[in-house]
Amino acid sequence: MSTTPEDGSNQGKGEDSPLADPDFRNQLRELPPSAKLVAKVLEGSSPLSQGQLAEESLLPDRTVRYALNRLEESDLVGSRYSFHDARKQVYYLNS
């Protein structure tokens, strides 16, 4: 069930993880639980598409979309077009 990151990296693992940063955690603390879960999934493997995030988090697509919007508004998550499919965006944690 686990999806692999698009570029083969595991950005966010270990001490370099944005989730280890106290400022990042304080901003995340103010967000809804769905946003926290999406951030945690992105910590484990990113970048991921919205569909991959829904699959990994077991959240509905609509909830993932809401969580991503909240994370992007707080500048905790960034996005770019997929290298594999330019029609899709992939998401990653901002450092």
Side-chain angles (χ1 to χ4, degrees):
M1 178 170 172
S2 178
T3 58
T4 58
E6 185 171 298
D7 64 356
S9 72
N10 270 339
Q11 175 188 328
K13 290 267 186 190
E15 293 176 13
D16 294 336
S17 169
L19 289 178
D21 177 28
D23 292 332
F24 190 96
R25 292 178 68 86
N26 283 335
Q27 282 186 280
L28 190 60
R29 190 170 279 120
E30 304 299 319
L31 298 178
S34 59
K36 293 172 186 165
L37 178 58
V38 167
K40 189 66 176 170
V41 170
L42 285 172
E43 177 190 35
S45 57
S46 70
L48 295 174
S49 69
Q50 182 179 323
Q52 290 170 316
L53 282 166
E55 184 179 318
E56 288 294 314
S57 66
L58 302 177
L59 293 171
D61 288 337
R62 184 175 179 178
T63 303
V64 170
R65 192 167 42 250
Y66 172 74
L68 286 169
N69 285 337
R70 296 294 306 270
L71 287 163
E72 285 185 309
E73 287 170 3
S74 299
D75 201 33
L76 299 176
V77 166
S79 65
R80 64 168 171 77
Y81 287 103
S82 169
F83 294 137
H84 298 292
D85 186 348
R87 297 171 296 176
K88 293 183 181 181
Q89 288 205 342
V90 291
Y91 300 88
Y92 53 89
L93 294 178
N94 284 331
S95 333

